[in-house]
Amino acid sequence: MTELLEQYQHKLARMTLREKIGQMLLCGFHGTEAAGDVERLLRTYPVGGVIYFARNIESPEQVERLSAGLQGIAAKSGQLPLWISIDQEGGMVARITNGVTLMPGQMAIAAAGSNEKAYEAAYISGLELKSMGINMNFAPVLDINNNAANPVIGVRSFGESPQSVADYGVKTIAGLQGAGIAATAKHFPGHGDTDTDSHLDLPVIMHDRERVERVELVPFRAAIAEGVDAIMSAHIYFPALEPERLPVTLSHTVLSGLLRQELGYEGIIVTDCMEMNAIAVHYGTVEAAVMAVEAGADLVLISHTAKLQEAAFEALEAGVKNGRISEKRIDESVARLLMYKEKHGLLQINMHTDDEIVSGGSERSLSKVRNNQTSSNEQLERSSLQHQEVARYISERSITLVRDQLDMLPLKPERTLVITIAASVTTIADEQLSQAVTLGSALARHGLDVIDLTITPEDVALSSARLLQAAEEESISQIVVGTYNASSPSGDPQCRLISWLQQLGKPLAVVALRSPYDLLALPDVKVYVAAYESRPLAMDSTARALMGHIPFAGKLPVSLI
């Protein structure tokens, strides 16, 4: 760290304290244009970057304009180019879903069984993000999902095997960074074995240090060896790692001790959103922002509220002025952030000379960013069909036949009732999904005679009588039900409906359209397929497999025992 500080000392000396503190904040905003609140924020506070959510997205073309507009505001304000970040994991957690190649999610990729395709998927996603001016992706998820009751990770994980998660994670990091995107391994040191969503409360993991070393840390060690640009901290309390009741994000022992010193990580440490309840309720977002910097975080993420972003900025500045935080501690993070911005082409200036870091560099840097973006767009236009082929290849090979005790599959060309439980937001990590394609409509498109019914998870209980009546019709010879998190605490109505349908004596197949663990709540089901997600491509691949047009090629990345 001393060598890095010396390397950037001249640049740090030319930055004001406010400019340095700003580099350590990553802020979300509302709206789809570079105007209004976000423009005021960027002109008033020299923040290091922004994060996009679905609320900021209309189309790839609009995102490209938004990114260019935000970078333009920063440049005209004499500030450094911005990190423009996003959670584009693929599958069920993706902020941009239209006009891009939406890759299958991580568990589907692992089910498809190809590390090289994981690299291709990440590389393609990276190229497309870069074409829209995005330069940082909060992926991959390196949590090992070995807890069937985990409400927030699940299919976002590559599975339950530490080595498999490490292998797929390393390929994903290489693909994203090969495309020029800063990859972010999350959620350190592991969010896979919790039954609490940190968006809602503070999870506690009671495993001893030996177990954490043997399981949770395996993929993060691999990511560090791969040279991952950023690691995101988890809002989780590990008593074996931290003697005080502090989540990892606020723990100097874990961030500076374990991650920096023991594991030797030299990249960016970014916090998960500081407005999540695990932090906001127990510590307060603003105070926790200061605590996170004290602990060793380089980049503090505040995703939603402008007043909290501004208050955190002022609290950090006050913390330095009153001696709570040393300016050397700030300089350590800012030097690291400058180094990685330079790595990703955000600083055209030569950081090894005495050129101005803020006033002269930003306009030139913005020009370089635009040139890089134009090059990516040209490459994207040539490759879009090829990108879609990769996504389809992975999706088709991910669909997993877990059991068929009735020899029901492929489906017979007979009248079929298909009930799709629509995708539902179960955690803040999700975005609201529109059910544009149902399992029934996908089967119908491939030639099956279908009665297509869709119901939300919340309305299953109220609609069970109607659904049973439809299933009792003499013309219906087989039934397919697509479940959505039926194994969750709120999934009982789905399980009861399936039990009643089974009593009709007609062949019935269950397709898990998100969590493969639904089978644990439906042990008597004779025919069970795991699709891992309910995006349109997954629906189409599932329909083709159910009808025998493609083989069931997927392998479960988790145990259903």
Side-chain angles (χ1 to χ4, degrees), residues 161-199:
S161 162
Q163 192 57 54
S164 179
V165 172
D167 292 343
Y168 283 105
V170 162
K171 289 294 187 181
T172 302
I173 290 164
L176 285 169
Q177 293 184 178
I181 299 295
T184 307
K186 63 184 185 184
H187 308 82
F188 180 85
H191 204 319
D193 199 3
T194 68
D195 56 11
T196 301
D197 182 353
S198 53
H199 294 91

Side-chain angles (χ1 to χ4, degrees), residues 421 455-468 490-497 500:
I421 311 299
I455 193 74
T456 66
E458 296 77 18
D459 291 338
V460 170
L462 294 174
S463 304
S464 289
R466 175 173 64 87
L467 298 172
L468 283 169
S490 61
D492 286 348
Q494 296 181 53
C495 297
R496 287 196 297 272
L497 171 64
W500 293 332

Side-chain angles (χ1 to χ4, degrees), residues 188-417:
F188 180 85
H191 204 319
D193 199 3
T194 68
D195 56 11
T196 301
D197 182 353
S198 53
H199 294 91
L200 306 178
D201 204 350
L202 177 62
V204 179
I205 293 182
M206 298 301 297
H207 298 308
D208 61 25
R209 176 62 186 265
E210 185 278 330
R211 148 63 196 248
V212 174
E213 286 281 355
R214 178 169 45 85
V215 179
E216 276 76 13
L217 291 183
V218 170
F220 288 101
R221 285 184 181 277
I224 291 169
E226 177 63 27
V228 67
D229 287 337
I231 290 179
M232 177 177 283
S233 63
H235 299 331
I236 297 175
Y237 172 45
F238 284 77
L241 304 180
E242 167 55 61
E244 299 183 33
R245 188 177 173 82
L246 288 172
V248 167
T249 296
L250 308 183
S251 170
H252 186 275
T253 303
V254 180
L255 294 190
S256 295
L258 174 60
L259 183 53
R260 285 280 187 230
Q261 296 174 17
E262 290 189 45
L263 300 186
Y265 181 58
E266 293 294 338
I268 297 168
I269 298 177
V270 57
T271 74
D272 209 340
C273 177
M274 303 299 278
E275 294 185 69
M276 291 162 59
N277 282 359
I279 296 294
V281 169
H282 296 276
Y283 306 94
T285 297
V286 174
E287 169 62 14
V290 178
M291 294 173 69
V293 171
E294 289 179 309
D298 302 304
L299 199 54
V300 177
L301 174 61
I302 304 177
S303 299
H304 307 292
T305 309
K307 288 184 179 180
L308 292 175
Q309 295 160 358
E310 295 166 5
F313 184 103
E314 302 297 346
L316 285 167
E317 183 179 25
V320 177
K321 289 181 176 179
N322 66 27
R324 179 176 174 180
I325 306 172
S326 71
E327 191 159 358
K328 181 182 178 182
R329 166 69 197 91
I330 299 297
D331 286 350
E332 289 173 353
S333 285
V334 176
R336 184 176 289 110
L337 292 165
L338 294 178
M339 180 178 71
Y340 278 89
K341 281 192 171 181
E342 183 179 26
K343 172 186 174 180
H344 284 278
L346 296 178
L347 304 181
Q348 186 178 12
I349 55 175
N350 183 348
M351 297 298 294
H352 303 285
T353 73
D354 289 331
D355 293 346
E356 288 291 336
I357 187 168
V358 176
S359 59
S362 294
E363 290 286 358
R364 296 196 298 274
S365 299
L366 180 62
S367 174
K368 185 175 182 181
V369 168
R370 285 172 174 161
N371 289 339
N372 288 344
Q373 193 167 312
T374 300
S375 175
S376 295
N377 284 336
E378 292 171 353
Q379 185 174 4
L380 194 61
E381 289 176 6
R382 293 193 298 270
S383 306
S384 58
L385 290 178
Q386 192 175 18
H387 294 181
Q388 295 292 338
E389 289 174 5
V390 171
R392 179 168 293 282
Y393 180 96
I394 296 169
S395 178
E396 289 183 350
R397 281 154 184 78
S398 72
I399 308 304
T400 306
L401 178 60
V402 179
R403 67 169 62 147
D404 183 9
Q405 297 173 353
L406 302 179
D407 291 327
M408 181 181 173
L409 303 178
L411 293 171
K412 296 178 178 59
E414 299 171 358
R415 193 158 180 77
T416 306
L417 173 65

Side-chain angles (χ1 to χ4, degrees), residues 109-119 168 393:
I109 288 174
S114 169
N115 286 344
E116 292 309 314
K117 289 301 178 184
Y119 173 89
Y168 283 105
Y393 180 96

Side-chain angles (χ1 to χ4, degrees), residues 125-154:
S125 294
L127 288 180
E128 296 188 358
L129 291 174
K130 190 174 181 182
S131 76
M132 293 176 272
I134 296 167
N135 48 45
M136 176 178 280
N137 191 14
F138 292 141
V141 173
L142 294 190
D143 306 315
I144 299 162
N145 202 90
N146 44 23
N147 188 330
N150 193 316
V152 66
I153 302 301

